[in-house]
PDB file of all heavy atoms in Angstrom:
ATOM      1  N   THR F  57      70.444  50.382  48.290  1.00 94.00           N
ATOM      2  CA  THR F  57      70.675  51.781  47.945  1.00 94.00           C
ATOM      3  C   THR F  57      71.531  52.488  48.981  1.00 94.00           C
ATOM      4  O   THR F  57      71.955  53.617  48.742  1.00 94.00           O
ATOM      5  CB  THR F  57      69.342  52.535  47.792  1.00 94.00           C
ATOM      6  OG1 THR F  57      68.554  52.326  48.958  1.00 94.00           O
ATOM      7  CG2 THR F  57      68.597  52.082  46.573  1.00 94.00           C
ATOM      8  N   ILE F  58      71.827  51.844  50.096  1.00 94.00           N
ATOM      9  CA  ILE F  58      72.693  52.467  51.095  1.00 94.00           C
ATOM     10  C   ILE F  58      74.143  52.032  50.952  1.00 94.00           C
ATOM     11  O   ILE F  58      74.993  52.494  51.698  1.00 94.00           O
ATOM     12  CB  ILE F  58      72.191  52.188  52.533  1.00 94.00           C
ATOM     13  CG1 ILE F  58      72.181  50.707  52.840  1.00 94.00           C
ATOM     14  CG2 ILE F  58      70.840  52.814  52.755  1.00 94.00           C
ATOM     15  CD1 ILE F  58      71.907  50.394  54.296  1.00 94.00           C
ATOM     16  N   ASP F  59      74.440  51.151  49.971  1.00 90.00           N
ATOM     17  CA  ASP F  59      75.821  50.760  49.711  1.00 90.00           C
ATOM     18  C   ASP F  59      76.627  51.968  49.252  1.00 90.00           C
ATOM     19  O   ASP F  59      76.114  52.863  48.586  1.00 90.00           O
ATOM     20  CB  ASP F  59      75.890  49.682  48.626  1.00 90.00           C
ATOM     21  CG  ASP F  59      75.413  48.334  49.109  1.00 90.00           C
ATOM     22  OD1 ASP F  59      75.298  48.158  50.344  1.00 90.00           O
ATOM     23  OD2 ASP F  59      75.152  47.469  48.260  1.00 90.00           O
ATOM     24  N   HIS F  60      77.911  51.978  49.584  1.00 89.00           N
ATOM     25  CA  HIS F  60      78.771  53.101  49.218  1.00 89.00           C
ATOM     26  C   HIS F  60      78.884  53.257  47.705  1.00 89.00           C
ATOM     27  O   HIS F  60      78.986  54.375  47.202  1.00 89.00           O
ATOM     28  CB  HIS F  60      80.157  52.925  49.831  1.00 89.00           C
ATOM     29  CG  HIS F  60      80.149  52.996  51.321  1.00 89.00           C
ATOM     30  ND1 HIS F  60      79.872  54.153  52.011  1.00 89.00           N
ATOM     31  CD2 HIS F  60      80.359  52.052  52.274  1.00 89.00           C
ATOM     32  CE1 HIS F  60      79.918  53.927  53.307  1.00 89.00           C
ATOM     33  NE2 HIS F  60      80.210  52.653  53.503  1.00 89.00           N
ATOM     34  N   GLU F  61      78.855  52.130  46.979  1.00 84.00           N
ATOM     35  CA  GLU F  61      78.978  52.179  45.528  1.00 84.00           C
ATOM     36  C   GLU F  61      77.787  52.884  44.881  1.00 84.00           C
ATOM     37  O   GLU F  61      77.943  53.577  43.880  1.00 84.00           O
ATOM     38  CB  GLU F  61      79.082  50.763  44.959  1.00 84.00           C
ATOM     39  CG  GLU F  61      80.248  49.975  45.481  1.00 84.00           C
ATOM     40  CD  GLU F  61      80.179  48.522  45.051  1.00 84.00           C
ATOM     41  OE1 GLU F  61      79.691  48.253  43.944  1.00 84.00           O
ATOM     42  OE2 GLU F  61      80.613  47.675  45.838  1.00 84.00           O
ATOM     43  N   LEU F  62      76.597  52.693  45.453  1.00 90.00           N
ATOM     44  CA  LEU F  62      75.384  53.232  44.843  1.00 90.00           C
ATOM     45  C   LEU F  62      74.909  54.537  45.451  1.00 90.00           C
ATOM     46  O   LEU F  62      74.082  55.224  44.856  1.00 90.00           O
ATOM     47  CB  LEU F  62      74.250  52.215  44.951  1.00 90.00           C
ATOM     48  CG  LEU F  62      74.371  50.975  44.101  1.00 90.00           C
ATOM     49  CD1 LEU F  62      73.169  50.086  44.310  1.00 90.00           C
ATOM     50  CD2 LEU F  62      74.483  51.335  42.643  1.00 90.00           C
ATOM     51  N   ARG F  63      75.389  54.876  46.618  1.00 90.00           N
ATOM     52  CA  ARG F  63      74.863  56.037  47.330  1.00 90.00           C
ATOM     53  C   ARG F  63      74.961  57.307  46.489  1.00 90.00           C
ATOM     54  O   ARG F  63      74.002  58.054  46.349  1.00 90.00           O
ATOM     55  CB  ARG F  63      75.627  56.220  48.647  1.00 90.00           C
ATOM     56  CG  ARG F  63      75.025  57.230  49.571  1.00 90.00           C
ATOM     57  CD  ARG F  63      73.620  56.875  49.845  1.00 90.00           C
ATOM     58  NE  ARG F  63      73.343  56.962  51.264  1.00 90.00           N
ATOM     59  CZ  ARG F  63      72.144  56.856  51.751  1.00 90.00           C
ATOM     60  NH1 ARG F  63      71.127  56.654  50.962  1.00 90.00           N
ATOM     61  NH2 ARG F  63      71.944  56.928  53.024  1.00 90.00           N
ATOM     62  N   SER F  64      76.113  57.530  45.886  1.00 89.00           N
ATOM     63  CA  SER F  64      76.278  58.758  45.105  1.00 89.00           C
ATOM     64  C   SER F  64      75.536  58.680  43.776  1.00 89.00           C
ATOM     65  O   SER F  64      75.007  59.684  43.292  1.00 89.00           O
ATOM     66  CB  SER F  64      77.765  59.018  44.857  1.00 89.00           C
ATOM     67  OG  SER F  64      78.335  57.909  44.177  1.00 89.00           O
ATOM     68  N   LYS F  65      75.479  57.486  43.165  1.00 90.00           N
ATOM     69  CA  LYS F  65      74.783  57.331  41.885  1.00 90.00           C
ATOM     70  C   LYS F  65      73.267  57.456  42.046  1.00 90.00           C
ATOM     71  O   LYS F  65      72.589  57.968  41.167  1.00 90.00           O
ATOM     72  CB  LYS F  65      75.084  55.963  41.270  1.00 90.00           C
ATOM     73  CG  LYS F  65      76.504  55.784  40.834  1.00 90.00           C
ATOM     74  CD  LYS F  65      76.671  54.399  40.247  1.00 90.00           C
ATOM     75  CE  LYS F  65      78.115  54.078  39.977  1.00 90.00           C
ATOM     76  NZ  LYS F  65      78.292  52.706  39.492  1.00 90.00           N
ATOM     77  N   ALA F  66      72.732  56.977  43.170  1.00 88.00           N
ATOM     78  CA  ALA F  66      71.289  56.931  43.379  1.00 88.00           C
ATOM     79  C   ALA F  66      70.709  58.262  43.842  1.00 88.00           C
ATOM     80  O   ALA F  66      69.495  58.434  43.834  1.00 88.00           O
ATOM     81  CB  ALA F  66      70.951  55.847  44.394  1.00 88.00           C
ATOM     82  N   GLU F  67      71.561  59.194  44.216  1.00 89.00           N
ATOM     83  CA  GLU F  67      71.071  60.467  44.720  1.00 89.00           C
ATOM     84  C   GLU F  67      70.364  61.245  43.610  1.00 89.00           C
ATOM     85  O   GLU F  67      70.890  61.411  42.522  1.00 89.00           O
ATOM     86  CB  GLU F  67      72.238  61.297  45.258  1.00 89.00           C
ATOM     87  CG  GLU F  67      71.959  61.929  46.588  1.00 89.00           C
ATOM     88  CD  GLU F  67      73.202  62.532  47.172  1.00 89.00           C
ATOM     89  OE1 GLU F  67      73.980  61.780  47.773  1.00 89.00           O
ATOM     90  OE2 GLU F  67      73.381  63.743  47.006  1.00 89.00           O
ATOM     91  N   GLY F  68      69.145  61.665  43.883  1.00 90.00           N
ATOM     92  CA  GLY F  68      68.390  62.455  42.928  1.00 90.00           C
ATOM     93  C   GLY F  68      67.623  61.644  41.897  1.00 90.00           C
ATOM     94  O   GLY F  68      66.940  62.211  41.051  1.00 90.00           O
ATOM     95  N   LEU F  69      67.723  60.322  41.943  1.00 92.00           N
ATOM     96  CA  LEU F  69      66.995  59.474  41.001  1.00 92.00           C
ATOM     97  C   LEU F  69      65.649  59.062  41.582  1.00 92.00           C
ATOM     98  O   LEU F  69      65.459  59.071  42.801  1.00 92.00           O
ATOM     99  CB  LEU F  69      67.799  58.218  40.673  1.00 92.00           C
ATOM    100  CG  LEU F  69      69.116  58.404  39.935  1.00 92.00           C
ATOM    101  CD1 LEU F  69      69.796  57.055  39.756  1.00 92.00           C
ATOM    102  CD2 LEU F  69      68.899  59.069  38.598  1.00 92.00           C
ATOM    103  N   LYS F  70      64.735  58.661  40.711  1.00 94.00           N
ATOM    104  CA  LYS F  70      63.454  58.137  41.157  1.00 94.00           C
ATOM    105  C   LYS F  70      63.662  56.749  41.743  1.00 94.00           C
ATOM    106  O   LYS F  70      64.686  56.107  41.504  1.00 94.00           O
ATOM    107  CB  LYS F  70      62.480  58.069  39.992  1.00 94.00           C
ATOM    108  CG  LYS F  70      62.124  59.416  39.435  1.00 94.00           C
ATOM    109  CD  LYS F  70      61.160  59.282  38.298  1.00 94.00           C
ATOM    110  CE  LYS F  70      60.823  60.644  37.729  1.00 94.00           C
ATOM    111  NZ  LYS F  70      59.897  60.545  36.605  1.00 94.00           N
ATOM    112  N   LYS F  71      62.669  56.262  42.498  1.00 94.00           N
ATOM    113  CA  LYS F  71      62.793  54.967  43.171  1.00 94.00           C
ATOM    114  C   LYS F  71      62.964  53.826  42.179  1.00 94.00           C
ATOM    115  O   LYS F  71      63.730  52.891  42.428  1.00 94.00           O
ATOM    116  CB  LYS F  71      61.579  54.702  44.049  1.00 94.00           C
ATOM    117  CG  LYS F  71      61.534  55.561  45.278  1.00 94.00           C
ATOM    118  CD  LYS F  71      60.336  55.200  46.120  1.00 94.00           C
ATOM    119  CE  LYS F  71      60.223  56.097  47.318  1.00 94.00           C
ATOM    120  NZ  LYS F  71      59.055  55.767  48.133  1.00 94.00           N
ATOM    121  N   THR F  72      62.274  53.858  41.046  1.00 94.00           N
ATOM    122  CA  THR F  72      62.407  52.781  40.059  1.00 94.00           C
ATOM    123  C   THR F  72      63.794  52.782  39.436  1.00 94.00           C
ATOM    124  O   THR F  72      64.352  51.713  39.163  1.00 94.00           O
ATOM    125  CB  THR F  72      61.347  52.917  38.957  1.00 94.00           C
ATOM    126  OG1 THR F  72      61.394  54.223  38.405  1.00 94.00           O
ATOM    127  CG2 THR F  72      59.967  52.647  39.496  1.00 94.00           C
ATOM    128  N   GLU F  73      64.371  53.960  39.226  1.00 95.00           N
ATOM    129  CA  GLU F  73      65.727  54.038  38.695  1.00 95.00           C
ATOM    130  C   GLU F  73      66.736  53.541  39.720  1.00 95.00           C
ATOM    131  O   GLU F  73      67.715  52.879  39.380  1.00 95.00           O
ATOM    132  CB  GLU F  73      66.034  55.480  38.282  1.00 95.00           C
ATOM    133  CG  GLU F  73      65.174  55.951  37.119  1.00 95.00           C
ATOM    134  CD  GLU F  73      65.216  57.452  36.925  1.00 95.00           C
ATOM    135  OE1 GLU F  73      65.594  58.183  37.873  1.00 95.00           O
ATOM    136  OE2 GLU F  73      64.861  57.899  35.822  1.00 95.00           O
ATOM    137  N   GLN F  74      66.503  53.849  40.994  1.00 94.00           N
ATOM    138  CA  GLN F  74      67.369  53.343  42.054  1.00 94.00           C
ATOM    139  C   GLN F  74      67.286  51.816  42.122  1.00 94.00           C
ATOM    140  O   GLN F  74      68.301  51.138  42.297  1.00 94.00           O
ATOM    141  CB  GLN F  74      66.966  53.933  43.401  1.00 94.00           C
ATOM    142  CG  GLN F  74      67.268  55.395  43.555  1.00 94.00           C
ATOM    143  CD  GLN F  74      66.815  55.941  44.898  1.00 94.00           C
ATOM    144  OE1 GLN F  74      66.255  55.220  45.724  1.00 94.00           O
ATOM    145  NE2 GLN F  74      67.045  57.229  45.122  1.00 94.00           N
ATOM    146  N   ALA F  75      66.068  51.282  41.974  1.00 95.00           N
ATOM    147  CA  ALA F  75      65.880  49.830  42.026  1.00 95.00           C
ATOM    148  C   ALA F  75      66.617  49.144  40.881  1.00 95.00           C
ATOM    149  O   ALA F  75      67.203  48.074  41.070  1.00 95.00           O
ATOM    150  CB  ALA F  75      64.397  49.494  41.973  1.00 95.00           C
ATOM    151  N   SER F  76      66.630  49.745  39.696  1.00 95.00           N
ATOM    152  CA  SER F  76      67.347  49.113  38.597  1.00 95.00           C
ATOM    153  C   SER F  76      68.856  49.171  38.820  1.00 95.00           C
ATOM    154  O   SER F  76      69.576  48.233  38.456  1.00 95.00           O
ATOM    155  CB  SER F  76      66.976  49.709  37.244  1.00 95.00           C
ATOM    156  OG  SER F  76      66.838  51.067  37.277  1.00 95.00           O
ATOM    157  N   LEU F  77      69.363  50.215  39.465  1.00 94.00           N
ATOM    158  CA  LEU F  77      70.781  50.265  39.812  1.00 94.00           C
ATOM    159  C   LEU F  77      71.140  49.154  40.808  1.00 94.00           C
ATOM    160  O   LEU F  77      72.179  48.498  40.674  1.00 94.00           O
ATOM    161  CB  LEU F  77      71.147  51.622  40.416  1.00 94.00           C
ATOM    162  CG  LEU F  77      71.282  52.797  39.475  1.00 94.00           C
ATOM    163  CD1 LEU F  77      71.559  54.068  40.266  1.00 94.00           C
ATOM    164  CD2 LEU F  77      72.389  52.562  38.474  1.00 94.00           C
ATOM    165  N   VAL F  78      70.274  48.946  41.791  1.00 95.00           N
ATOM    166  CA  VAL F  78      70.501  47.885  42.780  1.00 95.00           C
ATOM    167  C   VAL F  78      70.467  46.520  42.090  1.00 95.00           C
ATOM    168  O   VAL F  78      71.297  45.654  42.360  1.00 95.00           O
ATOM    169  CB  VAL F  78      69.457  47.962  43.919  1.00 95.00           C
ATOM    170  CG1 VAL F  78      69.545  46.753  44.825  1.00 95.00           C
ATOM    171  CG2 VAL F  78      69.657  49.224  44.723  1.00 95.00           C
ATOM    172  N   GLY F  79      69.528  46.324  41.174  1.00 94.00           N
ATOM    173  CA  GLY F  79      69.438  45.074  40.432  1.00 94.00           C
ATOM    174  C   GLY F  79      70.677  44.802  39.598  1.00 94.00           C
ATOM    175  O   GLY F  79      71.173  43.678  39.540  1.00 94.00           O
ATOM    176  N   GLU F  80      71.195  45.831  38.950  1.00 94.00           N
ATOM    177  CA  GLU F  80      72.414  45.675  38.159  1.00 94.00           C
ATOM    178  C   GLU F  80      73.594  45.296  39.048  1.00 94.00           C
ATOM    179  O   GLU F  80      74.407  44.437  38.691  1.00 94.00           O
ATOM    180  CB  GLU F  80      72.721  46.960  37.405  1.00 94.00           C
ATOM    181  CG  GLU F  80      71.783  47.242  36.262  1.00 94.00           C
ATOM    182  CD  GLU F  80      72.022  48.608  35.635  1.00 94.00           C
ATOM    183  OE1 GLU F  80      73.031  49.265  35.976  1.00 94.00           O
ATOM    184  OE2 GLU F  80      71.189  49.012  34.808  1.00 94.00           O
ATOM    185  N   LEU F  81      73.696  45.933  40.220  1.00 93.00           N
ATOM    186  CA  LEU F  81      74.812  45.646  41.129  1.00 93.00           C
ATOM    187  C   LEU F  81      74.746  44.219  41.655  1.00 93.00           C
ATOM    188  O   LEU F  81      75.763  43.513  41.684  1.00 93.00           O
ATOM    189  CB  LEU F  81      74.835  46.634  42.294  1.00 93.00           C
ATOM    190  CG  LEU F  81      75.959  46.427  43.310  1.00 93.00           C
ATOM    191  CD1 LEU F  81      77.319  46.607  42.645  1.00 93.00           C
ATOM    192  CD2 LEU F  81      75.806  47.387  44.463  1.00 93.00           C
TER     193      LEU F  81
END
Side-chain angles (χ1 to χ4, degrees):
T57 52
I58 61 171
D59 287 345
H60 294 292
E61 301 171 34
L62 290 181
R63 190 56 133 172
S64 58
K65 293 180 188 176
E67 226 170 278
L69 295 177
K70 295 180 181 179
K71 288 182 183 179
T72 53
E73 294 166 340
Q74 290 179 359
S76 40
L77 284 176
V78 171
E80 288 173 9
L81 180 62

